[in-house]
Amino acid sequence: MEHNLILTISDNYNFFHLSRFFLSLFKTPFRGRAVLFAGPNTGEQSIKALHAIGVEVVRYTADFPYVPNPHPANFKRLPDPIHIYNFRHFLYYDYLLKHEGEFDKVLLTDVRDVVFQRDPFDFDMQDALYVAMESRSRITGDCQYNTEWIKKGYGDEVMLEMAPHVISCAGTTLGPTTRIKAYLETLLNEIIGLRDAYGCADQAVHNRLLQQGKLEPVIKLYNEDTPVLTIGAEPTFELDAAGFVLDGKGTRPTIVHQYDRHPSLLAAMDKLVFNSPLQKYYLKLKYKLTQ
């Protein structure tokens, strides 16, 4: 039996905000380990609820090195100030170093806007890094956010180089553990050299390294036929008779990312995640006033 791992991070979210992610995950056959790094603004009530459904929660603080006793092979410094998008990779790398040899495959993922339709590792994974691509029509130079991140991290000249390339979304990256560890080490080395590690999100770094060929071997996951559907910029989507969203070839992806950019798709995903409207109402009522 394979031992697979999901790593994600949260701060300023309560259990209701996180519930779609974890409830949808545990409705699939996934039987690996799901780890949430929880920031200082995550309350004890949410922590208890996460533990109750089988999530491993690791507390982190706002200051480097974020967790007690980081692994001695981990990075000795990071830029200051630095955004959560960037320092999360230090935490993920630290976890893998401390659990050497325990896992076969790893998913690094956003949490608030991700849901699962199948076990995220339920596809024929090769010995490569899997990166999620946004819509083929969505290039870097047309996206205000990506443009700003690149300019702050690298400057205008690099921005012009990267402008014509299709955007890869850094919010869902997966692969065999050895490939993920190499990815994290490469990413962190690049983050240390950024002009501005707070204003420049990891997505700019991820795309820079991808375009330079520094993440090879890589498999790019496009929405036409993919285990990871990055749907935010897609103008339309299709559901099957059971209410699952489909990729371009009519197959159910394992992961749906950025579903909340489409209100009707958010409603469709809620029908799959929550057993009834009453369950959603109960969770929202219980967790909206306290973390």
Side-chain angles (χ1 to χ4, degrees), residues 140-197:
T140 302
D142 291 340
C143 176
Q144 175 186 349
Y145 299 107
N146 282 273
T147 298
E148 190 67 21
W149 291 331
I150 295 166
K151 285 183 177 180
K152 288 185 176 179
Y154 294 99
D156 291 341
E157 185 175 342
V158 171
M159 174 56 228
L160 290 174
E161 292 177 20
M162 296 178 65
H165 292 273
V166 175
I167 299 166
S168 173
C169 177
T172 49
T173 304
L174 68 163
T177 303
T178 53
R179 296 299 179 190
I180 293 294
K181 279 186 66 180
Y183 167 73
L184 290 169
E185 184 176 4
T186 304
L187 200 67
L188 286 163
N189 272 313
E190 188 80 1
I191 287 168
I192 287 173
L194 289 174
R195 297 182 180 185
D196 178 359

Side-chain angles (χ1 to χ4, degrees), residues 62-244:
D63 300 315
F64 185 86
Y66 315 112
V67 290
N69 304 312
H71 193 278
N74 205 344
F75 288 73
K76 301 300 185 286
R77 68 176 182 88
L78 288 180
D80 185 20
I82 185 170
H83 200 280
I84 185 174
Y85 287 135
N86 293 325
F87 74 69
R88 62 178 172 173
H89 302 292
F90 175 91
L91 295 170
Y92 300 160
Y93 190 53
D94 195 65
Y95 192 93
L96 291 179
L97 289 170
K98 289 175 178 175
H99 296 270
E100 186 72 41
E102 293 184 26
F103 302 102
D104 300 298
K105 302 170 185 175
V106 182
L107 166 64
L108 312 176
T109 177
D110 291 349
V111 67
R112 184 194 54 79
D113 59 353
V114 170
V115 292
F116 299 90
Q117 298 190 132
R118 292 165 34 216
D119 180 339
F121 301 98
D122 182 22
F123 67 97
D124 184 18
M125 183 179 289
Q126 300 177 37
D127 184 21
L129 185 75
Y130 287 75
V131 299
M133 305 302 293
E134 299 196 8
S135 169
R136 288 184 185 271
S137 63
R138 186 170 168 79
I139 61 171
T140 302
D142 291 340
C143 176
Q144 175 186 349
Y145 299 107
N146 282 273
T147 298
E148 190 67 21
W149 291 331
I150 295 166
K151 285 183 177 180
K152 288 185 176 179
Y154 294 99
D156 291 341
E157 185 175 342
V158 171
M159 174 56 228
L160 290 174
E161 292 177 20
M162 296 178 65
H165 292 273
V166 175
I167 299 166
S168 173
C169 177
T172 49
T173 304
L174 68 163
T177 303
T178 53
R179 296 299 179 190
I180 293 294
K181 279 186 66 180
Y183 167 73
L184 290 169
E185 184 176 4
T186 304
L187 200 67
L188 286 163
N189 272 313
E190 188 80 1
I191 287 168
I192 287 173
L194 289 174
R195 297 182 180 185
D196 178 359
Y198 190 86
C200 175
D202 64 340
Q203 183 151 305
V205 181
H206 171 94
N207 278 273
R208 178 64 170 165
L209 294 170
L210 181 64
Q211 291 164 23
Q212 290 179 320
K214 293 182 178 180
L215 301 181
E216 296 293 338
V218 166
I219 294 176
K220 296 179 180 179
L221 301 176
Y222 287 95
N223 289 341
E224 290 88 342
D225 181 16
T226 178
V228 181
L229 183 66
T230 308
I231 202 167
E234 296 290 356
T236 61
F237 56 88
E238 183 181 352
L239 302 177
D240 65 16
F244 291 86

Side-chain angles (χ1 to χ4, degrees), residues 52-73:
I53 63 171
V55 180
E56 179 181 332
V57 180
V58 179
R59 284 286 202 174
Y60 71 88
T61 67
D63 300 315
F64 185 86
Y66 315 112
V67 290
N69 304 312
H71 193 278

Side-chain angles (χ1 to χ4, degrees), residues 16 46 51 70 123 173 269 272:
F16 176 72
S46 289
H51 282 152
F123 67 97
T173 304
M269 293 297 98
L272 295 175

Side-chain angles (χ1 to χ4, degrees), residues 22-40:
F22 289 110
L23 292 178
S24 66
L25 174 65
F26 294 136
K27 286 186 175 185
T28 77
F30 172 77
R31 293 298 178 265
R33 188 179 303 178
V35 178
L36 174 77
F37 286 90

